[in-house]
Amino acid sequence: MRLVDSTKLLELQNKPTKIRNICIVAHVDHGKTTLADSLISSNGIISQRMSGKLRYLDSRPDEQERGITMKSSSIALYHALDKEEYLVNLIDSPGHIDFSSEVSTAVRLCDGAIVVVDVVEGVCPQTRLALKQAYSENIRAVLVLNKIDRLIVEMKMTALDAYVHITQVMEQVNAVMGELFASEVLENEETLIDKQPEKPRPKEDNNFYDWTSALEDADDSQLYFSPEQGNVVFASAIDGWGFTVHTFAKLFSDKLGVKEDLLKKVLWGDFYLNSKTKRFMKGAQEKAKKPLFVQVIFDNLWNIYETIILRNDKDKVPVICEKLGIKLTTRDLRHTDSRIQLQSLMMQWLPLSNTVLDMVCTKLPSPKEILPEKVEKLMCSRIRDFDSYHEETRKLKDDFLACDSSNDRPVIIFISKMFSVDKSALPENKPKTLTTEEMALRREKARQMREELKSNVNSESVAKEKESETDSNNAEKCAEDEKEKEEENQTAFIAFARIFSGRVKKGDQLYVLGPKHDPSQVLIKKDLQIDPNKKLKDLQSDEHITCTEIKSLYILMGRELEAIDEAVAGSIIGIGGLEDHILKTATLSSTISCPSFSEIQYAAVPILRVAVEPTYPSQLPQLVKGLRLLNQSDSCVQVLLQETGEHVLVTAGEVHLQRCLEDLKNLYGKIPITASEPIVPFRETIVEPPKLDMANEEIDSQNIDKANETVKEPLITVHTINKQSTIKIRARPLPNEITLLLDRSSDLLKAISQHIKFLQGISKNDKLDSKLDELQINGKNQLSDRMLKLIEAFKLELQNICSKLGSEWKDVVRQIWSVGPRNCGPNLLLNQTPDYATKFLLHEKELKEDPRFEYESSFVNGFQLASLSGPLCDEPMMGVAFCVEEWTLDKGEEDTTYTYGPLSGQIMSAVKEGCRKAFEAQPQRLMAAMYSCDIVVDQKVLGKLYAALGKRAGRVVGSDLQSGSASFRVRALMPVAESFKFALELRTHTSGLAAPQMMFSHWEVIDIDPFWRPRTEEEYLHWGEKWDGVNRAKAYMDAVRTRKGLATDKHLVQHGEKQRTLSKKK
Ligand SMILES: Nc1nc2c(ncn2[C@@H]2O[C@H](COP(=O)(O)OP(=O)(O)OP(=O)(O)O)[C@@H](O)[C@H]2O)c(=O)[nH]1
Ligand SMILES: [Mg+2]
């Protein structure tokens, strides 16, 4: 029986101080959904007996089947604590790395997080990631140390050992928090704009900066988890118990005759009870005494588990019950399964749901306590400055902070994702339950109809007429039914939303602001009209606003939705009917001065792509529609239509891919589809000429086979076709440090490029007036202070790296002309011409008189194109610097005939050609995407794991024994291209004892020349002249080339003899 209904929940919604919006985050399988079950059972939505078995929030069939969560889902719970009533909106998130985008979208809507850690496994990669995500969204967290039962039952630890082990796990968690905190403080130091008047700094050496002072000043008291503060729960979700140190302080203060507050302080830590003086003393470890925590808490716990589970001593159970003051039902007492006995006993003694919900209500903030820093972070992205917003926009900050729902406040709602439900599952489409009066009314109607029929039955003709009438009625009904069915089959999208300010009612008109909406641009347009009939698909590329009516609002109840009429600030709700207005995320507001919320940071990189097509070509429209819906419903998936006409699906990993395909087949497209083999991206790069040959012998001029060697001139000279312009380009491998820095700073580089493009646009405009006008649009064209600081920091870092790399790189900062591909990639165009001036990092650009200036963008575009698809297999380049050593332009006689097309186009293709040739003149290499795998395996199957890794060109980078167990944690790197079915193979070979977590890590050069053939004496000796082994790089390259329809050197016809018919007459 449900304890509370929606009217009660609605009533609670009106008090924001009594709302808690929280999510559960953890590594995969650490017990989030099991914990959620327990909390849900406290509301009577599921029975206590089923909690932990049902996994109520895993509502999809494949979630139940695989036993992992794939979508985050929310449920509203009621909790009473000390006569106060609370509404807890609980979101359960998935732990598998492929679905980490679901965690990001969940964390965005919350004010607090429950971090669950499996005490046996300790801190795992996703625990780290979850902590990081929570931290970067300014969310306070509490800790649940789960699966303590495993320490007793599986690992057979003693109470003291377990205590020591748990302190270590806590230290690991706190260490992660410390790291996050320190790195943020240092980063802020670097880029923060001083708002206060500058403090007089001691005039010492200017180069010396004292980093530690910033760290010491920052407040980190709220940051760490510590049991004495009451933000750590020790629990076993499966057995339904959990406690904090405070729980026991309360239970035992009478028994021990000590004040509760004192007990709270000494129960955790290095304290022990001196039996003579009856006082608590510090230094348990030093004096080899049992810590109080073990003596008072763990010993009791161990006692219970050992008696009931390990020794299965049935007679002792009533004794224990009596001691704890618990009454078990006779059914439980007689139950043959001792685990069930234990569970009902522990659930009564230390109920998990109460402990956790109490902690959530006391330790986590309500929506009203939102921090000003968090508001600023929500309102502007990393490279934007809050102060650069229009005044009206800045005013909204107060509305965020007030979290007020009075009618005069603006409505601000953030939608972090869209999720799909079956239309038939919507409350308005469900059969209604009738009240007794309505039932009576219906009965009366039926009776009347029956009587009418009876009176008519006498005349046959009438009856016949009726029959034919009913026939036609039936036909009509059938058609209607079919229509209804079709409608039912359709999916509806519900927006997962959080109201930050104001109040929404059904029927309200609100603006839908797309993710690219920028209020400062819109507010200056005086005659802005927003067409209420426009939908997302009608918008131009620079329009981001539509207008909509709120059609339905729901409370989210896990698998179900409950319709409501209005909702207020602070709550998490579902909004229906927005599918035509929102793709993935959006902001709803009553004012257009509201900025769109800053982009959600996703941890998983979508890297795995497949091409999909319908099994029956005629069903292509359904596939397209299905792909559109899939794209809308999943924040991490990307759907692309390639030039070749292929529909490509980009996903985060194998599990994610499988789920997407399932969804496409069963939910959105409802047609059979076929998917291609996974397509893996590569990168192309060049390297320094190798010093050793493949046989590990030094290469020198003597042993090389000169006959086969064509020495290529590294400096490439190209001309435009009309010979007016000459360009000299040389390609050089970029040092790794620079590539990494470029890769890391892509947001910033993109912003700079856009800025430069804009300035170029202005300079092309002839009218000076409009030039000035454009320059003055509300300061938009000046880069914000924050951005300038970021550029400064970037320049400094680059300069630092370059100065260490020797003389040839020392001028890079000044020389950078462009970055590519797509204006933000890891390749550089360097300007080393003696006479042409460019500025990239020096953001301001004066208008030049040089004739070449007009063609600069074509020049840069040529480089962009070349770096987008390299010569090896048309994949993007990475880590290549193209140094332009000369660019001449002689526009002597104007070529008006355009024999060779416009000069700008010629320059573009010449540069592209030059870059390509310069690239080919160097030793070329492929780069493979690498997964980092994290695998916990039992030592018994370690050998099998190593074998499987070796087969797939993987390598182990570290492995250590998990403390207190016989399993190893192995970290390995493996090319994505080799990783398919690895999880499956591992699971079958190790009988399910090892499951890898794979996440994109970095790009790595495959150290074999794809065109390699023996050429030194030693190599001839080893491999002979005609080598026909497998060259991994070449195999990859050829696979990509074949897929793209490029030429390979594979011979389809091996022996060109005349074909013979095989069947011979005998
Ligand atoms: N021994 C023991 N097992 C537990 C405990 N809590 C959960 N489990 C088991 O751990 C497994 C995973 O539990 P889930 O709740 O599905 O884990 P999850 O964190 O939701 O996993 P994902 O959603 O896939 O990330 C299940 O088989 C549970 O029965 C516990 O306290 N003790
Ligand atoms: Mg789960």
Side-chain angles (χ1 to χ4, degrees):
M1 245 306 271
R2 264 180 72 175
L3 283 185
V4 288
D5 56 7
S6 52
T7 30
K8 180 81 196 171
L9 295 177
L10 268 180
E11 191 188 312
L12 287 172
Q13 255 196 8
N14 284 315
K15 295 180 220 150
T17 48
K18 295 285 177 288
I19 300 182
R20 297 289 180 274
N21 295 321
I22 55 162
C23 54
I24 312 183
V25 292
H27 189 73
V28 62
D29 266 359
H30 279 198
K32 297 173 290 291
T33 314
T34 314
L35 172 66
D37 256 12
S38 167
L39 305 187
I40 295 167
S41 74
S42 75
N43 269 235
I45 296 168
I46 60 173
S47 84
Q48 233 164 31
R49 261 170 213 287
M50 289 311 286
S51 96
K53 302 189 185 76
L54 206 57
R55 292 192 286 117
Y56 181 73
L57 290 180
D58 285 357
S59 46
R60 297 165 51 100
D62 48 354
E63 286 179 327
Q64 287 287 346
E65 206 173 285
R66 273 178 176 258
I68 62 169
T69 310
M70 298 184 181
K71 292 239 169 197
S72 49
S73 44
S74 172
I75 189 161
L77 297 176
Y78 162 88
H79 183 60
L81 168 68
D82 298 338
K83 299 204 189 97
E84 296 277 2
E85 293 181 312
Y86 291 90
L87 170 69
V88 179
N89 286 314
L90 179 80
I91 307 179
D92 177 34
S93 69
H96 195 282
I97 178 67
D98 282 7
F99 306 111
S100 69
S101 65
E102 289 281 318
V103 184
S104 318
T105 52
V107 166
R108 179 43 81 77
L109 301 186
C110 293
D111 306 301
I114 302 179
V115 179
V116 182
V117 176
D118 175 345
V119 284
V120 177
E121 293 193 358
V123 173
C124 294
Q126 263 75 261
T127 318
R128 238 173 264 271
L129 214 66
L131 285 170
K132 190 171 166 203
Q133 273 170 333
Y135 188 83
S136 62
E137 294 272 350
N138 285 41
I139 277 184
R140 198 156 334 138
V142 290
L143 184 67
V144 172
L145 294 170
N146 193 24
K147 304 202 186 179
I148 291 192
D149 63 301
R150 286 181 70 188
L151 296 181
I152 316 174
V153 182
E154 267 176 45
M155 323 264 300
K156 309 246 166 11
M157 282 190 180
T158 64
L160 189 62
D161 287 346
Y163 167 77
V164 175
H165 178 77
I166 287 176
T167 36
Q168 283 167 353
V169 173
M170 293 250 318
E171 265 168 34
Q172 286 172 3
V173 179
N174 280 333
V176 176
M177 293 307 283
E179 258 169 50
L180 289 171
F181 179 69
S183 63
E184 172 165 342
V185 170
L186 296 183
E187 190 181 320
N188 271 352
E189 262 291 303
E190 212 171 304
T191 56
L192 198 70
I193 308 147
D194 274 329
K195 285 188 186 136
Q196 298 101 9
E198 188 128 332
K199 279 183 236 154
R201 278 222 186 106
K203 275 188 197 142
E204 305 167 26
D205 183 3
N206 263 348
N207 293 329
F208 172 74
Y209 193 82
D210 187 7
W211 294 108
T212 50
S213 69
L215 260 186
E216 276 164 14
D217 291 347
D219 174 29
D220 61 351
S221 58
Q222 291 278 347
L223 186 71
Y224 296 110
F225 302 104
S226 71
E228 60 266 28
Q229 278 183 21
N231 59 7
V232 180
V233 167
F234 302 86
S236 163
I238 199 106
D239 291 342
W241 59 263
F243 61 86
T244 64
V245 166
H246 293 190
T247 322
F248 269 89
K250 210 180 208 167
L251 278 178
F252 280 86
S253 70
D254 283 346
K255 216 177 250 178
L256 297 175
V258 192
K259 272 198 198 120
E260 199 180 316
D261 282 343
L262 177 65
L263 259 186
K264 279 182 189 172
K265 281 185 199 131
V266 295
L267 257 180
W268 178 259
D270 201 23
F271 296 97
Y272 70 98
L273 183 66
N274 187 326
S275 49
K276 274 183 211 152
T277 58
K278 296 276 176 210
R279 292 184 63 175
F280 302 117
M281 313 285 278
K282 216 172 164 46
Q285 200 181 5
E286 208 173 276
K287 301 201 179 105
K289 300 272 184 187
K290 236 184 211 175
L292 201 60
F293 187 80
V294 179
Q295 196 179 0
V296 176
I297 304 174
F298 266 15
D299 273 353
N300 284 323
L301 207 62
W302 256 246
N303 210 344
I304 295 174
Y305 265 89
E306 274 164 8
T307 317
I308 303 182
I309 303 272
L310 298 181
R311 289 206 301 274
N312 200 359
D313 197 342
K314 287 244 176 330
D315 305 336
K316 284 270 174 65
V317 180
V319 185
I320 295 176
C321 287
E322 205 181 310
K323 262 194 196 160
L324 300 175
I326 287 169
K327 275 215 166 96
L328 283 191
T329 55
T330 30
R331 197 172 130 218
D332 280 333
L333 278 174
R334 282 211 214 107
H335 209 292
T336 42
D337 189 348
S338 56
R339 190 91 194 199
I340 293 196
Q341 271 181 345
L342 176 109
Q343 282 170 354
S344 31
L345 189 151
M346 292 301 288
M347 270 182 208
Q348 278 191 49
W349 186 36
L350 303 166
L352 175 64
S353 49
N354 266 359
T355 317
V356 173
L357 288 175
D358 282 356
M359 175 171 71
V360 163
C361 294
T362 50
K363 296 290 165 196
L364 293 179
S366 73
K368 261 225 157 21
E369 294 162 62
I370 190 167
L371 298 170
E373 301 96 74
K374 174 161 173 161
V375 174
E376 285 194 16
K377 243 188 210 174
L378 286 177
M379 288 176 77
C380 46
S381 61
R382 210 175 75 90
I383 46 176
R384 180 90 202 221
D385 202 2
F386 181 72
D387 290 329
S388 70
Y389 275 131
H390 195 277
E391 197 189 326
E392 262 177 60
T393 308
R394 270 179 287 155
K395 252 196 259 163
L396 291 177
K397 185 174 170 187
D398 297 332
D399 297 307
F400 271 99
L401 291 173
C403 186
D404 189 12
S405 50
S406 43
N407 279 332
D408 53 340
R409 290 281 183 181
V411 180
I412 303 173
I413 302 174
F414 180 65
I415 289 165
S416 76
K417 69 164 185 177
M418 305 284 283
F419 62 94
S420 63
V421 290
D422 229 44
K423 271 211 172 131
S424 60
L426 292 178
E428 54 261 34
N429 297 344
K430 271 197 182 155
K432 259 196 203 149
T433 44
L434 299 176
T435 58
T436 35
E437 291 101 65
E438 280 172 324
M439 266 199 256
L441 211 73
R442 287 205 174 183
R443 224 176 289 137
E444 181 65 19
K445 255 192 192 163
R447 202 177 51 80
Q448 277 175 8
M449 276 198 4
R450 233 178 295 138
E451 270 176 14
E452 253 174 52
L453 263 179
K454 253 189 206 166
S455 60
N456 286 343
V457 108
N458 302 337
S459 71
E460 248 176 54
S461 57
V462 178
K464 256 188 189 163
E465 224 168 73
K466 273 251 154 139
E467 232 166 59
S468 60
E469 207 171 274
T470 42
D471 265 359
S472 64
N473 265 357
N474 271 354
E476 247 170 52
K477 233 186 190 170
C478 266
E480 235 167 60
D481 271 0
E482 240 165 51
K483 210 175 170 192
E484 232 165 58
K485 238 186 204 163
E486 210 168 76
E487 247 170 39
E488 263 173 31
N489 274 341
Q490 279 172 1
T491 43
F493 278 93
I494 306 290
F496 198 29
R498 153 100 186 245
I499 310 180
F500 282 89
S501 159
R503 168 186 294 264
V504 274
K505 287 188 284 296
K506 252 193 199 172
D508 277 358
Q509 287 282 341
L510 288 179
Y511 293 114
V512 184
L513 311 169
K516 285 191 182 146
H517 164 71
D518 182 351
S520 11
Q521 274 183 32
V522 179
L523 284 173
I524 45 163
K525 286 187 198 156
K526 286 176 196 98
D527 52 345
L528 185 81
Q529 289 281 329
I530 288 154
D531 184 353
N533 297 324
K534 271 197 176 173
K535 294 189 175 155
L536 192 64
K537 60 178 190 301
D538 308 324
L539 291 183
Q540 304 292 331
S541 68
D542 60 338
E543 289 179 315
H544 307 292
I545 309 176
T546 59
C547 197
T548 183
E549 183 191 319
I550 301 294
K551 295 198 189 76
S552 41
L553 297 168
Y554 306 100
I555 300 185
L556 304 167
M557 293 299 295
R559 299 180 183 189
E560 276 152 33
L561 299 165
E562 269 171 35
I564 49 174
D565 292 326
E566 68 171 1
V568 295
S571 40
I572 289 180
I573 52 162
I575 305 178
L578 292 176
E579 46 268 73
D580 291 333
H581 294 271
I582 299 174
L583 184 62
K584 293 186 183 197
T585 70
T587 311
L588 296 187
S589 180
S590 53
T591 152
I592 49 166
S593 56
C594 179
S596 59
F597 280 54
S598 59
E599 231 171 272
I600 300 177
Q601 299 289 331
Y602 296 117
V605 186
I607 194 157
L608 190 64
R609 35 177 85 204
V610 290
V612 286
E613 57 183 29
T615 313
Y616 309 109
S618 62
Q619 289 177 329
L620 190 68
Q622 276 109 306
L623 178 77
V624 175
K625 185 176 141 239
L627 282 171
R628 204 190 67 231
L629 294 177
L630 178 70
N631 188 23
Q632 193 164 28
S633 73
D634 191 317
S635 42
C636 194
V637 86
Q638 288 172 15
V639 173
L640 312 170
L641 177 63
Q642 292 203 318
E643 321 67 289
T644 50
E646 278 176 318
H647 290 275
V648 172
L649 202 63
V650 194
T651 57
E654 258 189 309
V655 186
H656 187 208
L657 174 67
Q658 270 167 20
R659 202 210 65 204
C660 288
L661 291 178
E662 282 302 304
D663 276 359
L664 203 54
K665 271 184 222 166
N666 304 329
L667 263 181
Y668 303 128
K670 296 206 170 95
I671 48 166
I673 52 171
T674 41
S676 69
E677 286 291 300
I679 302 168
V680 186
F682 287 93
R683 294 282 182 271
E684 299 181 15
T685 192
I686 49 178
V687 291
E688 296 288 346
K691 300 216 168 55
L692 295 180
D693 68 7
M694 295 298 281
N696 254 346
E697 293 292 333
E698 216 165 300
I699 300 177
D700 54 41
S701 49
Q702 279 138 40
N703 62 5
I704 230 160
D705 181 1
K706 296 241 171 53
N708 268 336
E709 193 76 5
T710 45
V711 180
K712 290 177 192 155
E713 169 60 38
L715 184 64
I716 302 292
T717 311
V718 281
H719 308 278
T720 51
I721 310 177
N722 63 7
K723 300 276 186 284
Q724 281 181 347
S725 180
T726 308
I727 300 155
K728 285 189 179 164
I729 300 181
R730 185 197 301 271
R732 286 227 224 110
L734 264 183
N736 207 13
E737 295 91 336
I738 301 186
T739 316
L740 287 179
L741 178 67
L742 290 175
D743 213 21
R744 210 157 11 104
S745 329
S746 58
D747 296 357
L748 182 71
L749 295 172
K750 192 157 209 167
I752 300 177
S753 303
Q754 265 169 8
H755 181 70
I756 287 181
K757 259 206 188 129
F758 183 80
L759 288 182
Q760 271 172 351
I762 290 183
S763 66
K764 287 216 179 99
N765 198 337
D766 291 335
K767 282 189 228 135
L768 193 69
D769 286 352
S770 57
K771 230 185 250 184
L772 288 179
D773 264 0
E774 276 181 66
L775 272 170
Q776 271 162 5
I777 307 172
N778 197 25
K780 191 214 147 210
N781 302 313
Q782 283 113 40
L783 293 168
S784 67
D785 288 350
R786 187 174 177 78
M787 180 109 165
L788 291 183
K789 285 242 172 187
L790 284 171
I791 295 179
E792 233 17 75
F794 174 78
K795 269 201 308 200
L796 201 72
E797 201 175 342
L798 187 59
Q799 188 61 57
N800 273 343
I801 293 174
C802 294
S803 57
K804 282 182 207 138
L805 290 173
S807 58
E808 50 186 333
W809 296 103
K810 80 176 188 304
D811 269 347
V812 167
V813 176
R814 203 176 45 77
Q815 288 171 350
I816 294 184
W817 188 350
S818 178
V819 288
R822 299 200 178 91
N823 293 314
C824 60
N827 303 292
L828 287 181
L829 182 67
L830 297 179
N831 175 10
Q832 296 183 347
T833 55
D835 57 343
Y836 185 71
T838 56
K839 287 174 179 174
F840 180 74
L841 288 177
L842 305 171
H843 43 89
E844 294 310 330
K845 191 155 196 152
E846 69 263 28
L847 313 178
K848 272 175 278 188
E849 286 309 314
D850 197 313
R852 286 171 288 185
F853 181 63
E854 198 181 322
Y855 299 101
E856 183 175 307
S857 61
S858 321
F859 198 101
V860 171
N861 279 345
F863 155 72
Q864 299 289 355
L865 285 178
S867 57
L868 187 62
S869 58
L872 290 180
C873 51
D874 270 4
E875 292 284 288
M877 294 181 188
M878 182 166 187
V880 186
F882 292 102
C883 313
V884 181
E885 300 196 354
E886 197 183 309
W887 181 21
T888 58
L889 181 68
D890 170 28
K891 275 181 75 175
E893 73 265 29
E894 195 81 13
D895 182 10
T896 43
T897 51
Y898 278 133
T899 330
Y900 307 107
L903 185 61
S904 55
Q906 290 180 37
I907 289 185
M908 185 148 62
S909 57
V911 173
K912 185 179 166 207
E913 198 50 44
C915 288
R916 247 178 124 95
K917 278 193 183 144
F919 184 93
E920 280 172 323
Q922 304 286 339
Q924 310 165 62
R925 294 287 183 274
L926 265 190
M927 289 178 97
M930 300 296 279
Y931 269 142
S932 72
C933 325
D934 185 276
I935 313 154
V936 176
V937 284
D938 199 272
Q939 78 192 51
K940 277 180 254 160
V941 291
L942 201 60
K944 290 208 171 113
L945 168 70
Y946 282 1
L949 274 173
K951 211 169 71 187
R952 290 165 180 269
R955 61 171 194 274
V956 176
V957 283
S959 70
D960 34 42
L961 194 63
Q962 294 276 85
S963 62
S965 72
S967 48
F968 278 84
R969 155 157 294 152
V970 178
R971 270 162 309 162
L973 290 172
M974 185 198 297
V976 176
E978 304 281 348
S979 70
F980 306 114
K981 309 244 161 67
F982 178 58
L984 189 70
E985 181 187 321
L986 215 57
R987 224 175 304 139
T988 43
H989 281 321
T990 61
S991 10
L993 287 176
Q997 286 281 305
M998 296 194 278
M999 184 176 169
F1000 172 73
S1001 150
H1002 64 281
W1003 294 95
E1004 196 169 280
V1005 178
I1006 304 174
D1007 205 13
I1008 316 168
D1009 186 349
F1011 301 111
W1012 180 80
R1013 62 200 148 68
R1015 55 185 188 137
T1016 61
E1017 279 168 22
E1018 283 77 17
E1019 285 176 344
Y1020 284 143
L1021 221 63
H1022 263 82
W1023 289 284
E1025 222 168 291
K1026 274 224 164 74
W1027 176 76
D1028 56 357
V1030 182
N1031 178 342
R1032 200 156 65 88
K1034 185 163 166 39
Y1036 289 149
M1037 183 180 81
D1038 282 348
V1040 177
R1041 290 191 75 100
T1042 321
R1043 196 188 76 225
K1044 291 188 175 172
L1046 303 171
T1048 59
D1049 59 0
K1050 202 169 158 194
H1051 298 292
L1052 283 182
V1053 182
Q1054 296 283 0
H1055 306 288
E1057 297 151 24
K1058 198 177 171 210
Q1059 283 198 353
R1060 275 179 299 159
T1061 351
L1062 286 177
S1063 63
K1064 279 183 196 158
K1065 274 187 192 149
K1066 283 174 194 158

